[in-house]
Amino acid sequence: MMTSPPPQLRPDSPELADQAGEWRSAYVHIPFCARVCPYCDFAVVEGQENLIDRYVAALLAEVSMADDWDTLDAVFIGGGTPSQVSPALIGSILEALDAKFGLVGGVEVSMEANPEDITAESSRGYRTAGVNRLSMGVQSFDDIVLTALGRQHTGRQALQAIEDAHADFERLSIDLIYGDPTETEASWDRTLDSALAAGTDHISAYSLTVERGTPLSRAVAAGAPAPDDDVQADRWERAAERLSERMIRYEVSNYATADPCKYNLATWAQGEYVAFGLGAHGHRNGTRTRNVRRLDRYMETIEAGQPPIAGETVGSDWDRELERLMLGLRRTAGVVTGVGGRRLLERHPEFVDAGIIEHRDGRIVVVKPLLTDTVIREVLAVPAQE
Amino acid sequence: MSEYIRNLSIIAHIDHGKSTLADRLMEHTGAVTEREMREQLLDTMDLERERGITIKAQSVRLTHEYHGHEYQINLIDTPGHVDFSYEVSRSLAACDGAILLVDAAQGAQAQTLANAYLAIEAGLEIVPVINKIDLPSADPAAASAEIAAILGGDPADVLAVSAKTGQGISELLDRIIERIPKPSGDVDAPLRALVFDSYFDTYRGVVCSIRVVDGRIRKGEQVLFMATNDKHAANELAVSTPWILPVDQLRAGDVGLLITGVKHIDQIRVGDTVTLVSNPASEPLEGYDEPRPMVFSGLFPSDGDDFERLREALEKLQLNDASLIWEPETSRALGFGFRVGFLGLLHMEIVRERLEREYNLDLVSTAPSVAYRVTLTDDSVIEIRSPQDLPHLTSVAQLEEPYVRAMILAPSEYIGTIMDLVQSRRGTMHHMQYLTPERVELIYELPLAEVVFDFFDHLKSRTRGYASLDYEPTGYRVSDLVKVDILLAGLPVDAFSTITHRAKAVQYGKGMVETLRELIPRQMFDVPIQAAIGGNIISRETVKARRKDVLAKCYGGDISRKRKLLEKQKEGKKRMKMVGAVEVPQEAFVAALRVDTSDR
Ligand SMILES: Nc1nc2c(ncn2[C@@H]2O[C@H](COP(=O)(O)OP(=O)(O)OP(=O)(O)O)[C@@H](O)[C@H]2O)c(=O)[nH]1
Ligand SMILES: C[S@@+](CC[C@H](N)C(=O)[O-])C[C@H]1O[C@@H](n2cnc3c(N)ncnc32)[C@H](O)[C@@H]1O
Ligand code: SF4
Ligand SMILES: [Mg+2]
């Protein structure tokens, strides 16, 4: 089993990017949110906090039902809002994972948290429970934007939460969302300033995406202003420029000073992971599974002693080859060319000509990350045989 | 006995209730039971039911008792839309009379007149009927007066019915027997049957609708198609009641179906005369005039491999749509396809949809154009059906465009606004006549190109829907025409070229460039769009290069979903055509139809 990467590797280094495919991880989903944000299309529920105990019990049962596997290099507790769950229960989940699979020394345990839930006390609690990396959903430091996004915290609260968490967490990330129509260039600049000043070792900056079926998408369909692609391109460029003062961009939307998020790096390297919880997706032995997305069904299925799997996809070798490229191309390190990459280059010389991708040292690298999907769409259409 | 047979069509302006009247007649004569009945039963095509209009004429045999005798009535329901008037004239050739139906709330409209003239020319006995008298807005007296004015009869002679409630239907059946003459043919003469329609049935092969004029035909006899000189056995004979009912023979005066097992479509021609091999007729019947297509547009398979399938589909569809003509066309942008002639835009739309649905094709069409006549400097004359065929101007001595005689029927208060519209369309007034003090008939000369596309939409909006339009070609006239070319990323795109009057060229070019800028998605690079007349750029816009095309995130949970999303987007892009390096959506090829060059 691989151990943690030597610290000298840059977060965007090809070696690290490729190594990550060997890591074993677990994803744990916590669906509870105090208020569901209008743009969010994750598996989330609102106003069901009374079910938390029962849900965690189901999670533990699901873990114990799983097939045995290797020890874990990374655990990611995502949501929803994991910080709606008490440190004690989070601790019980980590214990269950340790009992079932074992956690390697130096295992990375990330957890998502909403700023309004983080106090000096809760921060300490999660740290003690075994979490060693916190990812906070700040989204913006501008209260106008926060209100537009339907968030429950203010910029000041976010700063306070970061300060409190810093006492316990050396590894701390913040999520930002840019490109909401109420956001101005100056507002985004101020958010970037504050984010840099907060001194975290990791930042994720996402463009606001209108996901189908969300209240945001209904509002846009009804005529509300939609995020503008060109504005978002400007904002991305601005973020890339400013954040690079202190950090290294290792994926389209992710920046780290030294250590990237291991779990995410593993998924982009087509690594395997077990997954537990509502709507959670797993990847083992070349098979991608997905859990049921309805809370009552999830719990009832497990309580009846059944695995809560809603479906699975087994791709052909070629499907997996294209998937490897699709995931890998999002990284700054690019992806090993391979058969699929060679076919892509043959079929689409225009990408190299237009300076969108580069082919060097046996890797394909997207050098205009804003056009990554222009390339990936063609990757996915490369036929198995010519 | 042919004495007890009546052959007639129902003709009218669109939506005046022909198909509904056919329903009532079928119901009243017991041709269909209450359970079998549904609205506009004879509109059997999906497209007809979806759009609520008749596209294909349909015949049905009814029986009606009158003064102790059983009569056989062969009824043809015809379409009312101007694009399908060819269908009406073919039906009339199989009849001895016609019901001219007028909506009592709307009064006589352009196709009322046009179809009445067709019936008169064909020498048919016309039974005038006003319909929809159940409507509160119906004005039976005015409608009857209008019909009488058109036909030159007595308003009191006009029968009033409601195809909705059934009022007046039995009187109408009696009137049909009384007024419409029995078929004039001779049962003892050699067989002469007119093929007035046909269709391709996967199991039976070609099925012909025939009207037996003279003689008789029995099942199994050898028949000769006189124009193509092909011999076949009459494998099956049938009548439509409207269910297909096999019969042993068809006699002079009968209308029925002839199935010969012909699989080769080119052996059958609508308008041909069928006779018996054993006792052939010496002279064929008078056939049909060749249809005169008004507009031409390119039809290309989205997938170039489907070219042959498209050819086959056109051949089969032609059996059922005698007005369809085509020739191969090649486009640099779209590959191999066909230049197809249509009777109008609705016809064009219907043909395309039928090809796509009935033959499972995916097609790209180009903007329609009329046919121009070009005199070259060596005095030779050619007809071009596509702007891309226009020879270089240095070898062109003269250009001519087709003109039409347009008839507009409208309430007289709209005369002024109609005049304005016609003038902005390069038209001239020919004639004006009051049908009644409130309703006027206006006759204009106009270039076909100004009428055939969006003229009717403008006419309707200016007259709040009260005007109706009919037109017929009158020949070619010299005109100051220019070709407007469109360049994408610097390269001219043949499929986008248009011929237009010089006075409208700039407005057209600008409109086209703007429309294309909206339709063409952003690409990896800037795409300049230009309009040019003979090398001079008259307008320019740019589709700016796409700057952002990336999903914000792709985490463990979304991999399969994001992949599907991107694959679906790629599928959508597949339907685009590559013009040079530019991806062009299919609807861009008909963008010209969206360009409005009428005076605003
Ligand atoms: N109130 C009323 N409505 C009628 C009557 N006859 C027909 N309609 C309605 O008028 C509309 C057009 O009727 P159709 O029978 O489809 O007209 P059509 O003449 O066959 O139309 P095309 O074949 O498209 O030319 C339908 O909505 C009918 O229900 C009638 O006597 N009274
Ligand atoms: C699944 S959420 C969970 C984190 C936590 N509940 C929170 O919202 O603070 C993870 C991150 O995804 C991002 N996100 C969610 N929906 C998004 C959208 N529609 N567009 C862009 N980013 C989004 C937000 O930045 C959010 O912090
Ligand atoms: S963004 Fe976070 S807090 Fe908002 S609904 Fe989604 S998971 Fe819950
Ligand atoms: Mg009809």
Side-chain angles (χ1 to χ4, degrees):
Chain A
M1 189 43 26
M2 284 282 181
T3 51
S4 304
Q8 69 273 16
L9 282 182
R10 281 166 58 101
D12 62 350
S13 77
E15 294 84 339
L16 189 61
D18 295 346
Q19 229 172 74
E22 302 298 322
W23 299 336
R24 303 299 191 216
S25 352
Y27 177 79
V28 179
H29 191 76
I30 306 291
F32 305 99
C33 291
R35 276 284 289 282
V36 169
C37 308
Y39 53 82
C40 185
D41 80 333
F42 287 86
V44 291
V45 294
E46 179 181 307
Q48 311 253 41
E49 291 71 22
N50 57 318
L51 294 175
I52 290 179
D53 287 345
R54 188 177 156 204
Y55 180 80
V56 174
L59 261 180
L60 299 182
E62 193 191 0
V63 171
S64 68
M65 250 185 256
D67 293 340
D68 288 339
W69 202 34
D70 304 330
T71 45
L72 302 172
D73 300 282
V75 175
F76 194 97
I77 307 175
T81 311
S83 51
Q84 290 276 297
V85 175
S86 69
L89 286 178
I90 294 290
S92 70
I93 296 168
L94 292 172
E95 271 165 34
L97 289 172
D98 192 20
K100 178 80 192 181
F101 306 105
L103 307 173
V104 298
V107 61
E108 175 185 296
V109 180
S110 295
M111 185 184 101
E112 291 183 325
N114 283 25
E116 61 268 33
D117 296 331
I118 295 302
T119 58
E121 191 195 341
S122 68
S123 162
R124 167 96 322 182
Y126 291 121
R127 185 73 183 87
T128 312
V131 177
N132 55 26
R133 182 174 177 275
L134 210 59
S135 167
M136 233 185 296
V138 171
Q139 322 307 359
S140 174
F141 289 101
D142 180 337
D143 291 346
I144 295 177
V145 174
L146 285 170
T147 308
L149 290 176
R151 299 294 299 191
Q152 303 302 304
H153 64 271
T154 62
R156 284 189 56 138
Q157 269 174 291
L159 284 172
Q160 184 60 52
I162 294 169
E163 203 183 309
D164 290 342
H166 252 161
D168 307 294
F169 292 95
E170 204 178 310
R171 300 192 57 198
L172 189 55
S173 177
I174 52 185
D175 286 348
L176 300 176
I177 293 182
Y178 59 81
D180 175 87
T182 61
E183 172 204 84
T184 61
E185 210 177 290
S187 150
W188 180 230
D189 261 348
R190 283 196 301 275
T191 289
L192 289 172
D193 286 340
S194 307
L196 284 165
T200 61
D201 75 330
H202 193 280
I203 293 176
S204 304
Y206 304 117
S207 58
L208 177 63
T209 309
V210 181
E211 300 282 0
R212 269 178 52 185
T214 57
L216 174 63
S217 112
R218 283 190 288 279
V220 167
D228 179 277
D229 272 357
D230 287 350
V231 169
Q232 292 197 333
D234 288 341
R235 304 279 196 269
W236 183 91
E237 281 170 3
R238 187 70 181 147
E241 183 191 323
R242 295 293 320 279
L243 298 181
S244 300
E245 292 165 13
R246 267 197 59 221
M247 308 175 112
I248 294 166
R249 189 181 60 75
Y250 66 100
E251 191 259 2
V252 174
S253 311
N254 283 282
Y255 301 79
T257 51
D259 292 319
C261 171
K262 280 186 94 171
Y263 162 73
N264 281 330
L265 210 59
T267 62
W268 297 322
Q270 211 177 21
E272 302 210 331
Y273 44 95
V274 281
F276 305 102
L278 187 69
H281 289 58
H283 180 211
R284 270 182 73 178
N285 304 322
T287 303
R288 293 201 177 270
T289 57
R290 59 174 199 284
N291 277 357
V292 297
R293 236 184 119 116
R294 258 185 49 197
L295 185 57
D296 50 355
R297 285 243 338 260
Y298 169 78
M299 295 188 299
E300 282 159 15
T301 310
I302 293 177
E303 284 157 5
Q306 300 296 316
I309 303 284
E312 58 176 51
T313 336
V314 191
S316 66
D317 287 352
W318 187 249
D319 286 337
R320 294 186 55 75
E321 169 65 358
L322 299 184
E323 184 189 86
R324 181 184 72 81
L325 293 164
M326 157 180 148
L327 296 169
L329 285 170
R330 293 183 63 89
R331 303 174 302 197
T332 310
V335 67
V336 171
T337 310
V339 204
R342 278 198 294 280
R343 291 268 182 74
L344 175 76
L345 292 166
E346 279 159 27
R347 286 168 64 94
H348 295 284
E350 73 272 19
F351 290 143
V352 175
D353 297 345
I356 296 174
I357 62 178
E358 279 175 15
H359 187 218
R360 50 172 140 90
D361 309 328
R363 306 181 77 82
I364 297 182
V365 179
V366 177
V367 288
K368 285 189 181 160
L370 281 173
L371 297 180
T372 303
D373 287 350
T374 306
V375 180
I376 292 179
R377 235 176 255 117
E378 298 305 333
V379 165
L380 294 177
V382 173
Q385 262 123 33
E386 222 43 69
Chain B
M1 295 300 101
S2 70
E3 195 174 324
Y4 300 119
I5 296 179
R6 297 293 181 269
N7 289 319
L8 71 149
S9 295
I10 310 179
I11 56 175
H13 190 74
I14 191 164
D15 272 350
H16 280 200
K18 297 174 288 296
S19 303
T20 309
L21 179 62
D23 288 347
R24 288 297 83 69
L25 291 170
M26 284 187 282
E27 199 173 66
H28 207 86
T29 56
V32 290
T33 63
E34 211 173 299
R35 202 172 47 79
E36 291 162 341
M37 196 63 222
R38 53 174 188 169
E39 275 175 34
Q40 288 99 36
L41 185 80
L42 294 182
D43 290 344
T44 47
M45 255 194 276
D46 288 346
L47 266 174
E48 293 180 313
R49 303 204 68 83
E50 281 164 27
R51 293 176 180 236
I53 56 166
T54 304
I55 294 165
K56 281 295 298 172
Q58 284 283 351
S59 62
V60 58
R61 174 195 279 204
L62 312 172
T63 47
H64 176 61
E65 224 183 77
Y66 178 78
H67 289 192
H69 285 286
E70 187 164 285
Y71 284 78
Q72 169 190 327
I73 300 175
N74 295 311
L75 178 78
I76 306 181
D77 176 29
T78 66
H81 192 277
V82 56
D83 281 12
F84 305 119
S85 69
Y86 188 64
E87 198 74 12
V88 179
S89 25
R90 280 191 297 106
S91 304
L92 293 177
C95 295
D96 306 297
I99 295 175
L100 178 64
L101 196 66
V102 174
D103 182 328
Q106 283 195 14
Q109 302 285 327
Q111 275 75 44
T112 312
L113 251 76
N115 288 331
Y117 295 150
L118 284 179
I120 291 167
E121 267 169 49
L124 303 193
E125 181 66 33
I126 297 176
V127 178
V129 178
I130 57 167
N131 185 30
K132 307 199 188 181
I133 54 169
D134 60 290
L135 287 177
S137 55
D139 186 348
S144 303
E146 284 172 10
I147 274 208
I150 294 166
L151 297 176
D154 180 355
D157 214 28
V158 178
L159 208 62
V161 305
S162 164
K164 187 172 177 190
T165 66
Q167 190 187 342
I169 299 300
S170 55
E171 290 87 334
L172 174 57
L173 281 161
D174 290 350
R175 182 75 59 97
I176 290 170
I177 308 294
E178 291 157 5
R179 282 289 177 81
I180 294 180
K182 65 177 177 132
S184 58
D186 177 359
V187 191
D188 298 320
L191 173 71
R192 290 203 299 171
L194 175 72
V195 179
F196 66 90
D197 201 359
S198 59
Y199 65 91
F200 190 84
D201 180 294
T202 330
Y203 303 105
R204 298 190 161 99
V206 179
V207 180
C208 299
S209 297
I210 57 170
R211 153 80 194 266
V212 183
V213 175
D214 292 321
R216 72 176 84 208
I217 174 174
R218 292 187 182 83
K219 193 176 155 180
E221 281 182 315
Q222 287 290 316
V223 294
L224 170 72
F225 287 83
M226 294 180 79
T228 54
N229 210 19
D230 273 318
K231 297 187 181 95
H232 298 284
N235 289 345
E236 282 179 73
L237 297 172
V239 294
S240 157
T241 70
W243 325 117
I244 304 294
L245 185 77
V247 294
D248 288 331
Q249 65 166 336
L250 293 170
R251 303 152 40 98
D254 282 340
V255 168
L257 301 174
L258 164 66
I259 297 142
T260 58
V262 174
K263 297 272 180 188
H264 290 288
I265 301 157
D266 48 359
Q267 292 172 346
I268 299 292
R269 203 169 291 164
V270 167
D272 200 352
T273 301
V274 182
T275 188
L276 288 181
V277 172
S278 58
N279 180 19
S282 49
E283 286 293 314
L285 298 161
E286 203 180 312
Y288 294 124
D289 291 340
E290 286 288 311
R292 280 184 293 189
M294 298 277 182
V295 290
F296 297 84
S297 126
L299 278 183
F300 296 84
S302 291
D303 176 351
D305 292 345
D306 283 340
F307 175 75
E308 276 308 322
R309 286 218 302 130
L310 174 56
R311 182 201 296 279
E312 261 168 54
L314 279 166
E315 281 168 358
K316 285 183 181 160
L317 188 60
Q318 193 188 33
L319 269 183
N320 196 230
D321 184 349
S323 61
L324 203 58
I325 64 156
W326 72 87
E327 61 205 15
E329 174 176 46
T330 317
S331 150
R332 247 174 298 141
L334 296 168
F336 293 103
F338 297 93
R339 192 79 186 163
V340 185
F342 304 99
L343 301 172
L345 289 197
L346 178 64
H347 185 222
M348 178 174 108
E349 234 179 279
I350 298 287
V351 166
R352 188 193 151 144
E353 282 214 49
R354 287 188 71 183
L355 287 169
E356 293 199 320
R357 289 187 194 198
E358 295 171 26
Y359 301 92
N360 198 20
L361 288 159
D362 187 26
L363 302 175
V364 186
S365 47
T366 60
S369 159
V370 302
Y372 295 92
R373 191 185 274 171
V374 188
T375 309
L376 300 173
T377 40
D378 64 2
D379 282 344
S380 59
V381 177
I382 57 169
E383 189 194 81
I384 59 162
R385 294 171 168 184
S386 169
Q388 67 185 76
D389 295 339
L390 182 67
H392 196 269
L393 287 181
T394 48
S395 54
V396 173
Q398 173 179 292
L399 277 171
E400 288 169 278
E401 67 177 319
Y403 267 69
V404 292
R405 177 179 180 277
M407 165 176 57
I408 297 171
L409 279 199
S412 40
E413 58 191 288
Y414 295 114
I415 294 177
T417 176
I418 294 172
M419 291 287 257
D420 289 346
L421 174 65
V422 170
Q423 257 158 31
S424 78
R425 298 302 182 107
R426 301 188 281 134
T428 49
M429 167 99 141
H430 196 273
H431 181 80
M432 176 164 106
Q433 178 187 332
Y434 282 84
L435 277 186
T436 60
E438 292 79 36
R439 194 184 290 275
V440 61
E441 176 187 0
L442 299 155
I443 310 282
Y444 296 98
E445 288 276 340
L446 283 150
L448 173 62
E450 297 280 0
V451 177
V452 78
F453 304 122
D454 58 352
F455 183 80
F456 188 46
D457 297 333
H458 284 269
L459 182 66
K460 272 194 303 195
S461 71
R462 282 175 181 237
T463 61
R464 304 191 16 244
Y466 283 116
S468 56
L469 166 77
D470 196 86
Y471 51 85
E472 54 179 16
T474 51
Y476 280 83
R477 288 216 204 150
V478 177
S479 190
D480 188 8
L481 300 169
V482 294
K483 185 165 145 221
V484 180
D485 291 314
I486 301 292
L487 293 80
L488 276 192
L491 294 173
V493 181
D494 51 11
F496 285 148
S497 294
T498 304
I499 293 174
T500 171
H501 193 263
R502 187 179 301 277
K504 297 198 167 179
V506 172
Q507 197 188 350
Y508 171 80
K510 284 206 167 109
M512 188 66 184
V513 163
E514 270 165 36
T515 310
L516 287 174
R517 195 205 43 200
E518 271 155 35
L519 288 175
I520 294 177
R522 297 170 71 172
Q523 326 244 327
M524 287 192 295
F525 38 80
D526 283 358
V527 180
I529 307 170
Q530 296 158 295
I533 300 174
N536 286 331
I537 304 296
I538 53 170
S539 175
R540 183 195 160 105
E541 297 272 353
T542 304
V543 177
K544 297 298 267 172
R546 190 193 302 125
R547 287 190 55 208
K548 173 175 175 282
D549 180 19
V550 64
L551 297 166
K553 4 199 250 165
C554 182
Y555 287 154
D558 333 294
I559 292 170
S560 308
R561 222 183 79 212
K562 300 268 143 121
R563 177 171 187 163
K564 271 195 204 114
L565 176 72
L566 291 169
E567 280 171 344
K568 221 173 106 200
Q569 290 171 350
K570 168 70 187 169
E571 270 309 301
K573 274 165 57 112
K574 259 202 205 141
R575 302 204 62 230
M576 303 230 199
K577 285 281 160 188
M578 290 305 291
V579 177
V582 184
E583 286 172 350
V584 179
Q586 305 196 350
E587 61 269 29
F589 293 96
V590 285
L593 281 181
R594 303 196 192 182
V595 178
D596 184 1
T597 56
S598 61
D599 284 348
R600 276 165 282 196

